[in-house]
Amino acid sequence: MKINTILVSQPTPPEKSPYYDLERKFGVKLTFKQFIRIESLSAKEFRTQKIFVPDFTAVVFTSRTSVDHFFNLCKELRAPISEDLQCFCLSETIALYLQKYITYRKRKIHFPKIAQMDELALVMKKHNTERFLMPVADVHKEDMTIFTKAKVNVTTAIFYRTVSTDFTPEEIKQYDMLCFFTPAGIQSLFNNDPNYEQGEQLLSIFGPSTLAAAEARGLRVDLAAPTEECPSMPAALNSFLLKNL
C-alpha cells in the first residue's frame, strides 16, 4: 500500500522534531491532531467526591498535567494550600515544573533518582506518616498496588478527565495510517465512528497498553513500538517506511 498521509494523534511537535525529517525523507504528509483532550472537572463536580484538599499533608504528582489541574482546580475551589504541604513527584522534570505555581525553594519536594512508580513509593515510604493525595484522571493507569505493598496510604482524587476529540468517519478514513499512543485514543476512534472498519488503513501503536486496547477491538496492528531497535515512534515509522515505500 502506498503511504502518503499519516495522522499522528499527538500535539504539533516543535520545529526540530524528527517527525519532520520523515516528511522530507519519504515525501509523506504528517498531520498532528489528538484523538483526546484533557479538561478539568468543575468545582461542583469535584465536590461530589467529598475530598477536602487541606485535609492532606502531601500531594503526589505523576505528570505535569496532574500539576496543572491540581493547582488550577484548587484555585477554583478556593482551597488553601498550606506552605507546609509536601510534594512527591515521579521525576525531577515534574518537580521542576512545580515552579510554575510555587516558590520551589520554600517547599519540601521529593522525587526518586529513577522515574518509576515503585521508586517513588520507596521515597514516600520514608514519610509514611503523611496523608497523601494523588490527582488523577477519570481513567488513569497508575498502579495503586505499588503503594499498598510499600505500606503507604494514598488517596486518589479525580481532578481531570479525557474527552474524545470530534472526527467525522470521512476525516478518519482519509489517512493511510493512524498512529495511536493511548488506550483512550483507541476508544475515541470508536466513539467518533462506532462502525469503524479498518480495511487497508494501517495502524501504528505505541506502548503495551495501547496495543492491548487495539487488539481488544479486533484491530490489525501493522506497526508496534517501542522496540529495542526503535525506541520512539519516529524511529519506528522510519524503519517501517524504509521497508514499505
Side-chain angles (χ1 to χ4, degrees), residues 33-175:
K33 182 177 178 181
Q34 292 176 286
F35 268 79
I36 59 171
R37 66 181 189 275
I38 306 296
E39 64 178 27
S40 285
L41 264 64
S42 67
K44 182 179 180 180
E45 290 171 321
F46 181 83
R47 291 190 181 102
T48 64
Q49 299 178 80
K50 301 187 183 304
I51 288 177
F52 187 51
V53 174
D55 284 344
F56 297 89
T57 60
V59 61
V60 184
F61 297 113
T62 58
S63 67
R64 289 186 293 183
T65 299
S66 66
V67 172
D68 287 333
H69 290 282
F70 173 79
F71 284 99
N72 291 337
L73 190 51
C74 282
K75 183 177 180 180
E76 184 179 347
L77 290 164
R78 297 181 182 177
I81 299 176
S82 169
E83 291 187 358
D84 296 324
L85 181 72
Q86 298 200 49
C87 299
F88 292 78
C89 302
L90 180 59
S91 69
E92 183 178 10
T93 300
I94 297 169
L96 292 172
Y97 187 70
L98 288 170
Q99 295 177 98
K100 180 177 178 180
Y101 298 99
I102 62 175
T103 304
Y104 193 86
R105 59 185 174 80
K106 291 185 178 181
R107 295 280 183 171
K108 293 182 179 179
I109 299 172
H110 315 270
F111 53 87
K113 292 181 179 179
I114 303 174
Q116 295 178 353
M117 291 293 282
D118 54 349
E119 294 292 327
L120 175 59
L122 291 176
V123 173
M124 294 165 61
K125 188 174 182 179
K126 297 176 182 178
H127 304 265
N128 60 7
T129 58
E130 302 295 336
R131 299 187 299 278
F132 294 99
L133 175 66
M134 180 185 289
V136 296
D138 55 339
V139 179
H140 62 93
K141 60 183 179 180
E142 287 83 0
D143 182 2
M144 302 308 296
T145 61
I146 290 174
F147 301 109
T148 302
K149 292 177 181 178
K151 297 182 179 180
V152 178
N153 185 18
V154 181
T155 298
T156 59
I158 298 172
F159 275 72
Y160 52 103
R161 60 177 159 237
T162 55
V163 180
S164 294
T165 303
D166 290 336
F167 282 86
T168 65
E170 292 73 24
E171 184 179 3
I172 292 171
K173 294 303 293 184
Q174 73 180 348
Y175 298 98

Side-chain angles (χ1 to χ4, degrees), residues 1-5 26-28 176-177 200 202 241 244-245:
M1 177 183 177
K2 176 66 174 175
I3 305 171
N4 296 308
T5 55
F26 297 104
V28 296
D176 300 321
M177 174 182 278
E200 294 185 356
L202 303 174
L241 291 171
N244 291 277
L245 284 185

